[in-house]
Amino acid sequence: MLKLATRPSPATSKRMKAVRREGTEPELRVKALFGRLQVRLDPKNDHLPGKPDLVCRDADWAIFIHGCFWHRHPGCGKATTPKTNRSFWAKKFGENVRRDRRVIRALRSRGYSVSVVWACQVEKSNKIQARLLSKARALGVIK
Ligand SMILES: [Zn+2]
């Protein structure tokens, strides 16, 4: 149980909400990319471990679009740690990272290919498009 004193400050809470909102933008971009590539997606993914952000309909392929802050993109400038309440954040981030690993293992053990796309990669470059394109080809989802 968290003590009241370890709760994030109002300013931090505001930032947390903002980060969460931004997280949807990269997802929309990847969705749009898949639309252009004519990769068909399953509309509902709730039945799978970790509820992947996107699941390909024609292959067992789960795609996560991870926010760099919450999911701790290694080496990324956006994976900052707030200066206050460090123990709160360490615990929170640790839980997130462990859950992500667990979910990926669970999906792979069900025979799923799993791709993790970091939000900053979607914002920055076309590299991620090329990576997803070649993965889609490798899985036989597109020609
Ligand atoms: Zn990042």
Side-chain angles (χ1 to χ4, degrees):
M1 271 286 274
L2 287 168
K3 285 182 227 123
L4 274 177
T6 59
R7 276 222 182 123
S9 68
T12 305
S13 289
K14 204 174 158 193
R15 192 166 63 228
M16 284 159 67
K17 285 202 187 95
V19 167
R20 221 172 286 151
R21 264 199 310 275
E22 283 162 19
T24 62
E25 169 67 27
E27 188 179 325
L28 291 176
R29 284 204 201 185
V30 175
K31 259 190 186 161
L33 167 68
F34 279 177
R36 287 198 297 278
L37 297 172
Q38 295 183 308
V39 172
R40 300 190 305 159
L41 299 169
D42 270 333
K44 259 185 124 334
N45 313 320
D46 296 359
H47 60 293
L48 289 173
K51 298 178 188 170
D53 296 306
L54 307 171
V55 174
C56 179
R57 191 186 277 196
D58 300 315
D60 291 334
W61 182 21
I63 300 107
F64 291 95
I65 294 105
H66 277 345
C68 302
F69 178 77
W70 285 109
H71 297 270
R72 311 316 284 168
H73 185 190
C76 177
K78 293 190 172 181
T80 55
T81 301
K83 294 221 172 8
T84 54
N85 298 322
R86 286 212 171 245
S87 63
F88 166 86
W89 291 107
K91 185 169 179 279
K92 181 84 194 141
F93 291 146
E95 284 166 3
N96 288 351
V97 169
R98 279 192 298 279
R99 187 177 54 241
D100 289 341
R101 285 198 198 120
R102 203 164 53 233
V103 159
I104 289 170
R105 272 200 307 273
L107 285 164
R108 287 193 173 136
S109 75
R110 290 190 186 196
Y112 274 80
S113 290
V114 181
S115 294
V116 172
V117 175
W118 295 99
C120 72
Q121 296 174 324
V122 182
E123 290 156 15
K124 258 192 302 216
S125 72
N126 296 324
K127 245 192 225 167
I128 193 66
Q129 299 196 18
R131 205 184 98 202
L132 291 171
L133 183 63
S134 78
K135 182 84 178 177
R137 282 208 185 100
L139 292 169
V141 173
I142 56 171
K143 276 173 241 152

